[in-house]
Amino acid sequence: MSCMKFLVEEDEVNLRLDVFIAGKMEDKSRAYIQNLIKEGNVVIFGKVKKSNYKLKLNDVVEFSIPDNEKLDVEPENIPLDVLYEDKDVIVVNKPQGMVVHPAPGNYTGTLVNALLYHCTDLSGINGVLRPGIVHRIDKDTSGILVVAKNDAAHNSLAAQLKEHSMNRVYNALVEGVIKEDSGTVDKPIGRHPVDRIKMAVVKDGRHAVTHYNVLERYANNTLIECKLETGRTHQIRVHMAYIGHPIVGDPVYGYKKQKFNLQGQMLHARKLGFIHPSTGNYIEFSSELPDYFKKILKLL
């Protein structure tokens, strides 16, 4: 039996225990997870809790995976679009549809599987399931990620993320025509008060700031550039939906009726800049819009 441990963060407070575990084991049924809890395989500070237990800030949730649940992550020969690599970092351009790291029950086809095949040295700070992973972008968001190849690089990059000094710029196609040329959404983000799987703008959420500029206006859509000042879960998706301009193709925060046959939201992490962990120099990378994005813009 293998164990996993998670610290409850601000945006997870008051989440039901079974919902919290479901977020870590995305392909498992609610019944499976509730049974895992019922059998005493989930503890908080060493004590068994019920499925409906409401999480508190800094709770330490530990759960045991039965032996028939594989916990090893295997290297896979999956093509990688590598923009830069040295002894400290590797910068990759992630395609839409690829999950960044494995979760219990879902161990294949992820960016981590591909990275383990590509290079043998990755930071061990985030454990066996997330080696080298400093930050994430959603499965259906494409674009640039930096991965740490050793613990010193990981700590340096994590500190830059915490200080909001990393330069992260996205392109998004949103619904409707934005009238102003630029704007800022400064609204706190936390768990949705009703649908606890979703994020939302909530009064007691975590500080979140998104700056945006209009690049192109179409008949019913707007192409924008977004710069993250903070990095909350689903931040751009939540903020744009909040101001009435959800991202085209977003299955969670977007329009229920979509006019294009898309696999997910039209959101691309186009630019990433940071201080190199060893040299101390600022380096920046960019990637052009992927084909799925260009195709829709051409249609418009």
Short mmCIF file of all heavy atoms in Angstrom, two decimals, residues 37-71:
data_model
loop_
_atom_site.label_atom_id
_atom_site.label_comp_id
_atom_site.label_asym_id
_atom_site.label_seq_id
_atom_site.Cartn_x
_atom_site.Cartn_y
_atom_site.Cartn_z
N ILE A 37 -12.53 6.14 1.74
CA ILE A 37 -12.64 6.88 3.01
C ILE A 37 -13.27 6.01 4.08
O ILE A 37 -12.81 5.95 5.23
CB ILE A 37 -13.46 8.17 2.79
CG1 ILE A 37 -12.72 9.11 1.83
CG2 ILE A 37 -13.73 8.88 4.12
CD1 ILE A 37 -13.54 10.29 1.34
N LYS A 38 -14.36 5.30 3.70
CA LYS A 38 -15.10 4.45 4.65
C LYS A 38 -14.22 3.35 5.24
O LYS A 38 -14.35 2.99 6.41
CB LYS A 38 -16.30 3.83 3.92
CG LYS A 38 -17.26 3.08 4.83
CD LYS A 38 -18.44 2.55 4.03
CE LYS A 38 -19.40 1.78 4.92
NZ LYS A 38 -20.53 1.22 4.13
N GLU A 39 -13.29 2.83 4.42
CA GLU A 39 -12.42 1.75 4.88
C GLU A 39 -11.23 2.25 5.70
O GLU A 39 -10.35 1.48 6.07
CB GLU A 39 -11.93 0.94 3.68
CG GLU A 39 -13.04 0.13 3.01
CD GLU A 39 -12.54 -0.68 1.84
OE1 GLU A 39 -11.37 -0.49 1.44
OE2 GLU A 39 -13.32 -1.50 1.32
N GLY A 40 -11.20 3.57 5.95
CA GLY A 40 -10.15 4.12 6.81
C GLY A 40 -8.84 4.40 6.11
O GLY A 40 -7.80 4.56 6.76
N ASN A 41 -8.87 4.48 4.76
CA ASN A 41 -7.65 4.73 4.01
C ASN A 41 -7.31 6.21 3.88
O ASN A 41 -6.31 6.57 3.26
CB ASN A 41 -7.76 4.12 2.61
CG ASN A 41 -7.73 2.60 2.65
OD1 ASN A 41 -6.92 2.02 3.36
ND2 ASN A 41 -8.61 1.95 1.91
N VAL A 42 -8.18 7.07 4.41
CA VAL A 42 -7.94 8.51 4.38
C VAL A 42 -7.95 9.05 5.80
O VAL A 42 -8.91 8.83 6.55
CB VAL A 42 -9.02 9.23 3.53
CG1 VAL A 42 -8.75 10.73 3.50
CG2 VAL A 42 -9.05 8.68 2.11
N VAL A 43 -6.90 9.75 6.16
CA VAL A 43 -6.83 10.33 7.52
C VAL A 43 -6.39 11.79 7.44
O VAL A 43 -5.71 12.20 6.50
CB VAL A 43 -5.85 9.54 8.43
CG1 VAL A 43 -6.33 8.12 8.65
CG2 VAL A 43 -4.43 9.56 7.86
N ILE A 44 -6.80 12.56 8.45
CA ILE A 44 -6.37 13.94 8.59
C ILE A 44 -5.73 14.08 9.95
O ILE A 44 -6.38 13.83 10.98
CB ILE A 44 -7.57 14.91 8.43
CG1 ILE A 44 -8.14 14.81 7.01
CG2 ILE A 44 -7.14 16.35 8.73
CD1 ILE A 44 -9.36 15.64 6.76
N PHE A 45 -4.45 14.42 9.94
CA PHE A 45 -3.65 14.43 11.18
C PHE A 45 -3.78 13.10 11.92
O PHE A 45 -3.90 13.05 13.15
CB PHE A 45 -4.06 15.59 12.09
CG PHE A 45 -3.76 16.95 11.51
CD1 PHE A 45 -4.78 17.86 11.30
CD2 PHE A 45 -2.47 17.31 11.17
CE1 PHE A 45 -4.51 19.12 10.76
CE2 PHE A 45 -2.19 18.56 10.64
CZ PHE A 45 -3.21 19.46 10.43
N GLY A 46 -3.82 12.02 11.13
CA GLY A 46 -3.85 10.68 11.71
C GLY A 46 -5.22 10.18 12.10
O GLY A 46 -5.37 9.04 12.54
N LYS A 47 -6.26 11.02 11.96
CA LYS A 47 -7.61 10.62 12.37
C LYS A 47 -8.50 10.37 11.16
O LYS A 47 -8.49 11.15 10.20
CB LYS A 47 -8.24 11.70 13.26
CG LYS A 47 -7.54 11.85 14.61
CD LYS A 47 -8.26 12.87 15.48
CE LYS A 47 -7.56 13.00 16.83
NZ LYS A 47 -8.24 14.00 17.69
N VAL A 48 -9.28 9.30 11.23
CA VAL A 48 -10.20 8.96 10.15
C VAL A 48 -11.39 9.93 10.17
O VAL A 48 -11.94 10.24 11.22
CB VAL A 48 -10.71 7.51 10.31
CG1 VAL A 48 -11.76 7.19 9.24
CG2 VAL A 48 -9.55 6.52 10.21
N LYS A 49 -11.76 10.44 8.99
CA LYS A 49 -12.89 11.35 8.88
C LYS A 49 -13.92 10.78 7.90
O LYS A 49 -13.62 9.88 7.12
CB LYS A 49 -12.43 12.72 8.36
CG LYS A 49 -11.40 13.41 9.24
CD LYS A 49 -11.99 13.90 10.54
CE LYS A 49 -10.95 14.66 11.36
NZ LYS A 49 -11.50 15.11 12.66
N LYS A 50 -15.14 11.33 7.94
CA LYS A 50 -16.19 10.89 7.03
C LYS A 50 -16.10 11.64 5.71
O LYS A 50 -15.45 12.68 5.61
CB LYS A 50 -17.57 11.11 7.67
CG LYS A 50 -17.82 10.20 8.87
CD LYS A 50 -19.23 10.40 9.40
CE LYS A 50 -19.50 9.45 10.57
NZ LYS A 50 -20.87 9.62 11.11
N SER A 51 -16.80 11.12 4.70
CA SER A 51 -16.77 11.73 3.36
C SER A 51 -17.22 13.17 3.35
O SER A 51 -16.74 13.99 2.57
CB SER A 51 -17.66 10.93 2.39
OG SER A 51 -17.10 9.67 2.14
N ASN A 52 -18.17 13.52 4.24
CA ASN A 52 -18.72 14.88 4.24
C ASN A 52 -17.96 15.85 5.16
O ASN A 52 -18.40 16.98 5.37
CB ASN A 52 -20.20 14.86 4.62
CG ASN A 52 -20.43 14.35 6.04
OD1 ASN A 52 -19.49 13.94 6.72
ND2 ASN A 52 -21.68 14.37 6.48
N TYR A 53 -16.81 15.41 5.67
CA TYR A 53 -15.99 16.30 6.50
C TYR A 53 -15.56 17.52 5.68
O TYR A 53 -15.12 17.39 4.54
CB TYR A 53 -14.75 15.55 7.01
CG TYR A 53 -13.72 16.44 7.69
CD1 TYR A 53 -13.90 16.86 9.00
CD2 TYR A 53 -12.58 16.87 7.00
CE1 TYR A 53 -12.96 17.69 9.63
CE2 TYR A 53 -11.64 17.69 7.62
CZ TYR A 53 -11.84 18.09 8.92
OH TYR A 53 -10.91 18.91 9.53
N LYS A 54 -15.73 18.72 6.26
CA LYS A 54 -15.35 19.96 5.59
C LYS A 54 -13.90 20.32 5.95
O LYS A 54 -13.57 20.46 7.13
CB LYS A 54 -16.30 21.10 5.99
CG LYS A 54 -17.76 20.88 5.58
CD LYS A 54 -17.92 20.95 4.08
CE LYS A 54 -19.38 20.81 3.66
NZ LYS A 54 -20.22 21.94 4.07
N LEU A 55 -13.08 20.47 4.94
CA LEU A 55 -11.66 20.72 5.14
C LEU A 55 -11.38 22.08 5.75
O LEU A 55 -12.08 23.06 5.49
CB LEU A 55 -10.91 20.61 3.81
CG LEU A 55 -10.93 19.22 3.15
CD1 LEU A 55 -10.32 19.29 1.78
CD2 LEU A 55 -10.19 18.21 4.01
N LYS A 56 -10.33 22.12 6.55
CA LYS A 56 -9.88 23.36 7.17
C LYS A 56 -8.51 23.74 6.62
O LYS A 56 -7.77 22.88 6.14
CB LYS A 56 -9.81 23.22 8.70
CG LYS A 56 -11.15 22.91 9.37
CD LYS A 56 -10.97 22.75 10.87
CE LYS A 56 -12.30 22.51 11.56
NZ LYS A 56 -12.94 21.27 11.15
N LEU A 57 -8.18 25.03 6.70
CA LEU A 57 -6.88 25.50 6.21
C LEU A 57 -5.75 24.76 6.91
O LEU A 57 -5.76 24.60 8.13
CB LEU A 57 -6.75 27.01 6.45
CG LEU A 57 -5.49 27.68 5.90
CD1 LEU A 57 -5.44 27.58 4.38
CD2 LEU A 57 -5.41 29.14 6.35
N ASN A 58 -4.78 24.30 6.11
CA ASN A 58 -3.59 23.60 6.60
C ASN A 58 -3.86 22.21 7.15
O ASN A 58 -2.99 21.61 7.80
CB ASN A 58 -2.83 24.45 7.63
CG ASN A 58 -2.26 25.72 7.04
OD1 ASN A 58 -1.89 25.75 5.87
ND2 ASN A 58 -2.21 26.78 7.83
N ASP A 59 -5.08 21.67 6.91
CA ASP A 59 -5.29 20.24 7.20
C ASP A 59 -4.30 19.44 6.36
O ASP A 59 -4.02 19.79 5.21
CB ASP A 59 -6.70 19.82 6.79
CG ASP A 59 -7.73 19.98 7.90
OD1 ASP A 59 -7.32 20.30 9.03
OD2 ASP A 59 -8.93 19.81 7.63
N VAL A 60 -3.76 18.38 6.94
CA VAL A 60 -2.89 17.48 6.20
C VAL A 60 -3.68 16.21 5.91
O VAL A 60 -4.01 15.44 6.81
CB VAL A 60 -1.60 17.15 6.98
CG1 VAL A 60 -0.76 16.13 6.21
CG2 VAL A 60 -0.79 18.42 7.22
N VAL A 61 -4.01 16.02 4.62
CA VAL A 61 -4.81 14.87 4.20
C VAL A 61 -3.86 13.79 3.67
O VAL A 61 -3.12 14.02 2.73
CB VAL A 61 -5.82 15.27 3.11
CG1 VAL A 61 -6.65 14.06 2.70
CG2 VAL A 61 -6.71 16.40 3.59
N GLU A 62 -3.93 12.62 4.29
CA GLU A 62 -3.12 11.49 3.84
C GLU A 62 -4.06 10.38 3.39
O GLU A 62 -5.02 10.06 4.09
CB GLU A 62 -2.23 10.97 4.97
CG GLU A 62 -1.19 11.97 5.46
CD GLU A 62 -0.36 11.39 6.59
OE1 GLU A 62 0.47 10.50 6.32
OE2 GLU A 62 -0.54 11.82 7.74
N PHE A 63 -3.79 9.82 2.22
CA PHE A 63 -4.59 8.66 1.84
C PHE A 63 -3.72 7.57 1.25
O PHE A 63 -2.70 7.83 0.61
CB PHE A 63 -5.77 9.03 0.94
CG PHE A 63 -5.44 9.70 -0.36
CD1 PHE A 63 -5.28 8.97 -1.52
CD2 PHE A 63 -5.34 11.08 -0.43
CE1 PHE A 63 -5.01 9.58 -2.73
CE2 PHE A 63 -5.08 11.71 -1.63
CZ PHE A 63 -4.91 10.96 -2.79
N SER A 64 -4.14 6.34 1.52
CA SER A 64 -3.40 5.16 1.11
C SER A 64 -4.03 4.56 -0.12
O SER A 64 -5.26 4.40 -0.19
CB SER A 64 -3.38 4.13 2.24
OG SER A 64 -2.86 4.70 3.43
N ILE A 65 -3.20 4.23 -1.08
CA ILE A 65 -3.66 3.60 -2.32
C ILE A 65 -3.43 2.10 -2.21
O ILE A 65 -2.30 1.67 -1.96
CB ILE A 65 -2.89 4.14 -3.54
CG1 ILE A 65 -2.87 5.68 -3.53
CG2 ILE A 65 -3.49 3.61 -4.84
CD1 ILE A 65 -4.21 6.33 -3.59
N PRO A 66 -4.49 1.30 -2.35
CA PRO A 66 -4.31 -0.16 -2.30
C PRO A 66 -3.25 -0.62 -3.30
O PRO A 66 -3.02 0.03 -4.32
CB PRO A 66 -5.70 -0.69 -2.67
CG PRO A 66 -6.63 0.41 -2.26
CD PRO A 66 -5.88 1.69 -2.53
N ASP A 67 -2.65 -1.76 -2.99
CA ASP A 67 -1.51 -2.24 -3.79
C ASP A 67 -1.83 -2.43 -5.26
O ASP A 67 -0.95 -2.33 -6.10
CB ASP A 67 -1.00 -3.56 -3.21
CG ASP A 67 -0.27 -3.32 -1.89
OD1 ASP A 67 0.22 -2.20 -1.69
OD2 ASP A 67 -0.23 -4.25 -1.07
N ASN A 68 -3.10 -2.68 -5.61
CA ASN A 68 -3.41 -2.87 -7.02
C ASN A 68 -3.48 -1.55 -7.77
O ASN A 68 -3.70 -1.51 -8.97
CB ASN A 68 -4.72 -3.65 -7.20
CG ASN A 68 -5.91 -2.91 -6.60
OD1 ASN A 68 -5.76 -1.86 -6.00
ND2 ASN A 68 -7.09 -3.48 -6.77
N GLU A 69 -3.31 -0.43 -7.05
CA GLU A 69 -3.21 0.87 -7.71
C GLU A 69 -1.74 1.21 -7.93
O GLU A 69 -1.00 1.48 -6.99
CB GLU A 69 -3.86 1.97 -6.82
CG GLU A 69 -5.37 1.91 -6.79
CD GLU A 69 -5.98 2.39 -8.08
OE1 GLU A 69 -5.34 3.19 -8.79
OE2 GLU A 69 -7.09 1.96 -8.38
N LYS A 70 -1.30 1.17 -9.15
CA LYS A 70 0.09 1.43 -9.48
C LYS A 70 0.47 2.87 -9.14
O LYS A 70 -0.26 3.80 -9.42
CB LYS A 70 0.28 1.19 -10.98
CG LYS A 70 1.68 1.37 -11.48
CD LYS A 70 1.69 1.17 -12.99
CE LYS A 70 3.06 1.46 -13.55
NZ LYS A 70 3.04 1.45 -15.01
N LEU A 71 1.63 3.07 -8.51
CA LEU A 71 2.05 4.42 -8.14
C LEU A 71 3.31 4.84 -8.88
O LEU A 71 3.76 5.96 -8.74
CB LEU A 71 2.26 4.51 -6.62
CG LEU A 71 2.31 5.89 -6.02
CD1 LEU A 71 1.01 6.64 -6.26
CD2 LEU A 71 2.61 5.85 -4.54
#
